[in-house]
Amino acid sequence: NAGVTQTPKFQVLKTGQSMTLQCAQDMNHEYMSWYRQDPGMGLRLIHYSVGAGITDQGEVPNGYNVSRSTTEDFPLRLLSAAPSQTSVYFCASSYATGNEAFFGQGTRLTVV
Amino acid sequence: GENVEQHPSTLSVQEGDSAVIKCTYSDSASNYFPWYKQELGKRPQLIIDIRSNVGEKKDQRIAVTLNKTAKHFSLHITETQPEDSAVYFCAASRGGSYIPTFGRGTSLIVHP
């Protein structure tokens, strides 16, 4: 049982480049979310999904897109990377919002 | 939406001492309160949670208390050990389609 798998683990981008952070879970969880973690700011919600075909914005959605075509996958797309998007990104999934969230290993992204 | 305040941001204790981390929340409909531990370079992982129908829950050296009237909950760690050093996050959720809101985290340092 792999849990939540995130790729890549590290990434360096140039300003203006685009990329997709991958997230997959094998627990048949309906709820998936993306967070960014910056020093002193905790975990801030970027986008989330309550099921396949349904996504919504979180606290800091600007500059990011998501889609949820299957229950298992929830990719995060950076459309045009900016230095302000330098951060550690975590994907998480849960059976329900009132249950334990399982996090991926994280992606450390640097935009230069 | 929900707002979760967490204090202190940094807590330094001697090995064997107790540590207390406090969180307040704003949404009176919140009914699920998890605590996550994040070791350096690792993903957050659930260590204990409490639901609104319970006032206190213990698991060995850790305990969580909840005061719904005052809308605050706390994490208590007794007999701290160096391996307790980590960042701890509280969160609050009202269930349904509401993704949990996280506090900004507390960096706990346990000195040998």
Side-chain angles (χ1 to χ4, degrees):
Chain A
N1 191 338
V4 180
T5 303
Q6 257 184 266
T7 56
K9 194 169 183 179
F10 300 97
Q11 183 71 49
V12 179
L13 287 179
K14 294 182 179 179
T15 298
Q17 287 185 318
S18 63
M19 79 159 296
T20 299
L21 278 62
Q22 301 292 343
C23 177
Q25 53 92 8
D26 62 0
M27 297 174 282
N28 202 32
H29 286 168
E30 290 294 329
Y31 295 86
M32 297 187 74
S33 49
W34 276 101
Y35 297 89
R36 60 177 290 172
Q37 184 175 25
D38 302 292
M41 300 300 291
L43 294 162
R44 292 186 293 170
L45 184 64
I46 305 171
H47 285 286
Y48 66 97
S49 170
V50 299
I54 306 170
T55 63
D56 207 344
Q57 298 181 353
E59 179 185 357
V60 287
N62 293 340
Y64 309 95
N65 273 357
V66 292
S67 60
R68 184 93 181 272
S69 57
T70 67
T71 299
E72 294 76 20
D73 300 298
F74 191 43
L76 177 72
R77 297 182 185 84
L78 280 71
L79 308 174
S80 178
S84 61
Q85 293 179 305
T86 293
S87 187
V88 178
Y89 292 84
F90 285 99
C91 176
S93 75
S94 63
Y95 174 74
T97 56
N99 288 85
E100 176 181 2
F102 293 84
F103 286 83
Q105 64 182 2
T107 297
R108 183 173 293 277
L109 176 68
T110 303
V111 183
V112 298
Chain B
E2 176 68 276
N3 182 46
V4 177
E5 300 281 342
Q6 183 173 347
H7 298 280
S9 57
T10 304
L11 180 58
S12 183
V13 300
Q14 289 297 128
E15 183 176 359
D17 287 350
S18 295
V20 180
I21 303 170
K22 299 181 179 181
C23 289
T24 61
Y25 62 98
S26 61
D27 187 350
S28 57
S30 288
N31 54 24
Y32 176 64
F33 307 93
W35 286 89
Y36 291 84
K37 176 183 180 183
Q38 185 182 27
E39 296 177 352
L40 188 63
K42 301 293 180 69
R43 71 191 79 189
Q45 291 188 295
L46 182 76
I47 55 171
I48 194 167
D49 56 13
I50 192 168
R51 299 189 184 274
S52 58
N53 58 345
V54 175
E56 183 176 4
K57 185 176 179 181
K58 289 182 180 180
D59 183 3
Q60 299 183 338
R61 295 187 296 108
I62 62 173
V64 57
T65 58
L66 172 65
N67 183 326
K68 284 216 71 178
T69 302
K71 288 190 282 188
H72 68 72
F73 56 112
S74 301
L75 177 72
H76 304 253
I77 305 174
T78 59
E79 301 173 17
T80 54
Q81 301 168 3
E83 52 264 39
D84 294 329
S85 296
V87 177
Y88 292 82
F89 293 98
C90 65
S93 170
R94 63 185 298 182
S97 61
Y98 294 86
I99 299 293
T101 299
F102 284 83
R104 292 195 172 191
T106 296
S107 177
L108 174 64
I109 303 165
V110 181
H111 299 279

